[in-house]
Amino acid sequence: MKFGAPKERSEGERRVALTPESVGRLTKLGYECLVETGAGSEARIPDAAYEAAGARVVPDAATLWAEADIVAKVRAPDSEEVERTRDGQILISFLYPAQNPDLLESLSARGVTAIAMDMVPRISRAQKMDALSSMANIAGYRAVIEAGNQFGRFFTGQITAAGKVPPARVLVIGAGVAGLAAIGTAQSLGAQVRAFDVRPEVAEQIQSMGAEFLFLDFAEATDGAATGGYAAPSSPEFRAKQLELFRAQAPEVDIVITTALIPGRDAPKLWLADMVALMKPGSVVVDLAAERGGNCDLTVPGEVIETPNGVRVVGYTDYPSRMATQASTLYATNIRHMMDDLTPAKNGVPVVDMDDDVIRGAVVTHAGAITYPPPPSKIQAIAKQAPRKAVEETPAAKAAREAAQARKAGQNQILLLVVGAVILMLIGLVAPPSFLQHLVVFALSCFVGYHVIWNVSHALHTPLMAVTNAVSSIIILGALLQFGSSSWIVSILAGLSILMASVNIFGGFLVTRRMLKMFQKS
C-alpha cells in the first residue's frame, strides 16, 4: 500500500509529516512512500533527499491524495483536502476532535479512518507515539530561545572588568513536558529558575533539575492532577492563593514562561495585567498557551507587544514550526512508530485493531462512524481502582510480629547448622581429609556470600557485579590449575567453570558499564 505526505496548506506551517529517515523505516514495513513536491522545503528537506531515500515525489496534492492509501499530515485537513479523501483511506494528523466536531462528521461521512495524533493515550507503551509531548518539548525549548531574543541582558551571571552582571531570574508556570523543557534550557543557560505547578508531585522533578519549586501554603482537596497527565482546574480559593503568589514574584523575575493548558479548554488566565504592570522594564512574558487565548491577559496571538512599562509579551502560536527541521523529524518518528503498531505483519497492510488501547484511543472515525470519545483505557481503569485501606499497626503488634519473625529465623538457622554438621560428619567418615577441608571452606564461602549479598539493597545489586567479576576471575584461576588433571571428569568440570565464569565476567562488566553511562553527560 502507499503512504503519502502532502505539503501543509496552513499559513506559516513549516513542518512536514514525512522525513527521509522515516521513509526508510516505512519502506521496510512494506509501504511505498509518496511525497508532494516541495513538502519538506520549509523544513530544509529537498525533494532530492526523499528520492534518495526511496520515496516517489508526486507533482501536486491532488495526485497524492488520489494515489495514497494512508495520508499523514501535521495540521488538520481543510475543506478542500477533506473533499479529496475517499472511502477506506487512513488519515493521520493532529485533529483535536473535541474542538472540531464538524470535521469528524465530514470524515466519517466519507468513510475515512482518522487517527488523531493528539489523542494517543499517555501510557508507557505509547510514549514513542506521543506527538503532543514531542511538540511540547520543542515548544518549551524554543520559548526560552524566544525569551532570550527579546530579553536585553545575559541569562547567566558574569563578573567582568566592567562590573558584575547578575543572572536572569526565570519563572516557569506549569511543569508539564513544555515546562520541564523550558526549565532545563533556562538552567543550562545559567539563569536562576523558579517554577510552579498545581501538582505537588512534580516538585522533586523540578528540584532535581536545579530549579526552585514555589510551594503554595494551601490545603487543596485534590492533588491537582487530572487524567492524562494534565493539571486539573483549581478551586476559586486555590486560584486566589495562586495569584497572590504570582503577584509577589512579579517584581522579582525577569522572564515569565507560562505553559498552563488543558486540552479542549480555553487557557486559564494566570498572569494578569496588574502582574505585568509590576514587572521591571525590559522583562519578558512568553505565553505558550497563546493559541487557546493565552495565560496572560495581554497576550495577542501571533504577535509580540510591548506594554507602557516596557514589558514584552510574546504570543507566538507556532513554536514547533519555528524549529521545523527538528519538529518534522520527531513528528515523523512518532508517526512511524504508529505505523509499526498498525502493521503487525510488516507486510505493508495496515490493521486497525480496535481492541488495542493505543490504536482505539487515537482513532476518532472508523468504518463510517465517529469513535470519539474513546472508552476509558483498560490500564487507567486498573490504576483507578481504589487501593485497599491499610490497617495501621500498633507498636505492640509490630514488636510482637518482629519478635516472632526473629524467633523463626533463628530456629531455621539452627536447623540448617545441625543438618550441615550431620552431613559433614557423614562425608568425613568416607572422604579423605583433604577433600573435607576443601568442602568446609566451600560451604563457609557459600554461607558468607549468601548473607553478604542478601543484605545488600536491591539498588546496589548492579554495582555489586563489579565485585563478582573479581570473584569469577579467581574461579577461572582455580579451574585453569585443574584443567590438566588426569581425570576427564575434573577436566570437564574445570572447562565448564571457565566458561560460566567468563560469561559472568564479561556480562558483569557490560551491565556495569551501561549503568555508569547513565550518570555520564553525553
Side-chain angles (χ1 to χ4, degrees):
M1 299 184 78
K2 298 178 181 179
F3 182 99
K7 186 174 183 178
E8 294 297 320
R9 296 162 59 93
S10 298
E11 184 179 355
E13 182 55 70
R14 302 178 182 89
R15 291 171 290 178
V16 63
L18 186 67
T19 61
E21 292 82 3
S22 58
V23 167
R25 298 298 186 97
L26 291 170
T27 302
K28 290 180 180 179
L29 288 177
Y31 294 100
E32 178 187 352
C33 293
L34 313 177
V35 63
E36 182 184 352
T37 182
S41 59
E42 294 290 335
R44 294 192 173 93
I45 306 174
D47 291 346
Y50 286 110
E51 291 175 336
R56 178 160 61 90
V57 178
V58 298
D60 51 46
T63 304
L64 185 137
W65 283 92
E67 288 192 36
D69 303 292
I70 304 163
V71 177
K73 282 178 51 59
V74 179
R75 296 277 184 170
D78 57 27
S79 57
E80 186 177 340
E81 288 175 318
V82 171
E83 290 297 320
R84 287 174 173 163
T85 60
R86 64 178 186 273
D87 186 28
Q89 198 170 42
I90 295 177
L91 172 66
I92 305 175
S93 180
F94 284 117
L95 295 175
Y96 299 103
Q99 291 87 44
N100 297 302
D102 293 340
L103 176 60
L104 299 191
E105 290 283 355
S106 301
L107 292 173
S108 63
R110 299 186 68 84
V112 175
T113 294
I115 299 176
M117 293 301 291
D118 48 283
M119 287 299 298
V120 171
R122 286 193 157 179
I123 58 177
S124 298
R125 185 169 68 87
Q127 286 181 351
K128 59 186 178 182
M129 312 172 209
D130 190 353
L132 279 179
S133 292
S134 297
M135 298 303 103
N137 182 33
I138 293 174
Y141 173 87
R142 184 70 187 197
V144 177
I145 303 303
E146 294 293 344
N149 185 45
Q150 302 293 334
F151 188 54
R153 295 192 285 112
F154 291 134
F155 267 75
T156 184
Q158 293 189 10
I159 299 177
T160 69
K164 182 179 179 181
V165 180
R169 295 185 178 91
V170 178
L171 170 61
V172 179
I173 300 176
V177 177
L180 291 174
I183 291 168
T185 306
Q187 190 74 21
S188 66
L189 290 174
Q192 291 182 353
V193 186
R194 309 169 185 180
F196 175 81
D197 197 283
V198 298
R199 298 163 294 180
E201 63 268 22
V202 303
E204 289 185 1
Q205 298 179 43
I206 292 169
Q207 291 167 342
S208 69
M209 298 176 73
E212 176 189 356
F213 182 76
L214 300 178
F215 288 95
L216 193 62
D217 186 15
F218 185 81
E220 179 70 279
T222 66
D223 64 356
T227 304
Y230 297 99
S234 304
S235 66
E237 295 80 10
F238 183 89
R239 175 174 168 78
K241 281 285 187 180
Q242 187 181 45
L243 296 180
E244 183 182 332
L245 173 67
F246 294 160
R247 285 191 183 92
Q249 293 292 319
E252 300 180 12
V253 296
D254 302 301
I255 296 171
V256 177
I257 299 174
T258 65
T259 70
L261 187 62
I262 301 171
R265 297 190 179 99
D266 290 335
K269 297 297 181 183
L270 299 176
W271 203 256
L272 307 184
D274 64 305
M275 300 174 191
V276 177
L278 291 171
M279 297 178 73
K280 300 186 292 288
S283 300
V284 179
V285 177
V286 181
D287 194 341
L288 286 179
E291 195 167 10
R292 297 294 299 170
N295 297 134
C296 178
D297 273 345
L298 305 180
T299 297
V300 177
E303 297 182 17
V304 178
I305 66 165
E306 186 164 340
T307 65
N309 64 320
V311 177
R312 292 187 178 182
V313 181
V314 181
Y316 295 144
T317 59
D318 58 348
Y319 293 99
S321 191
R322 288 172 178 264
M323 299 183 67
T325 305
Q326 183 66 73
S328 298
T329 299
L330 293 181
Y331 183 60
T333 302
N334 293 141
I335 290 180
R336 190 258 299 172
H337 284 303
M338 175 64 75
M339 294 306 300
D340 278 338
D341 274 28
L342 286 171
T343 320
K346 315 299 180 190
N347 59 352
V349 179
V351 179
V352 182
D353 182 5
M354 298 299 274
D355 291 327
D356 185 293
D357 266 353
V358 176
I359 294 175
R360 177 63 188 88
V363 173
V364 293
T365 67
H366 180 60
I370 296 176
T371 59
Y372 174 83
S377 170
K378 298 172 188 173
I379 295 176
Q380 289 179 356
I382 294 171
K384 283 184 179 179
Q385 289 179 358
R388 296 178 185 175
K389 188 175 181 180
V391 178
E392 189 173 352
E393 193 175 28
T394 62
K398 182 179 180 181
R401 176 176 56 80
E402 290 177 349
Q405 290 176 346
R407 283 197 301 271
K408 186 175 181 181
Q411 292 171 357
N412 291 338
Q413 288 180 354
I414 292 173
L415 179 62
L416 286 173
L417 288 173
V418 171
V419 171
V422 171
I423 293 174
L424 284 175
M425 289 178 60
L426 294 175
I427 293 174
L429 294 175
V430 295
S434 60
F435 176 80
L436 193 60
Q437 290 177 359
H438 290 306
L439 183 61
V440 170
V441 172
F442 176 74
L444 290 175
S445 300
C446 291
F447 179 78
V448 172
Y450 170 80
H451 280 277
V452 168
I453 300 298
W454 187 259
N455 290 323
V456 171
S457 171
H458 292 289
L460 298 177
H461 279 177
T462 302
L464 203 64
M465 293 187 71
V467 180
T468 64
N469 293 336
V471 174
S472 296
S473 65
I474 296 173
I475 294 173
I476 288 180
L477 290 176
L480 287 173
L481 293 175
Q482 299 298 325
F483 200 69
S485 173
S486 58
S487 171
W488 63 272
I489 297 178
V490 173
S491 298
I492 291 175
L493 292 175
L496 290 174
S497 300
I498 293 173
L499 175 63
M500 290 185 287
S502 300
V503 170
N504 189 41
I505 290 175
F506 290 110
F509 277 124
L510 179 64
V511 173
T512 305
R513 182 176 178 81
R514 289 184 63 183
M515 180 201 68
L516 292 175
K517 286 180 69 176
M518 294 169 57
F519 301 95
Q520 296 174 350
K521 290 186 178 180
S522 56

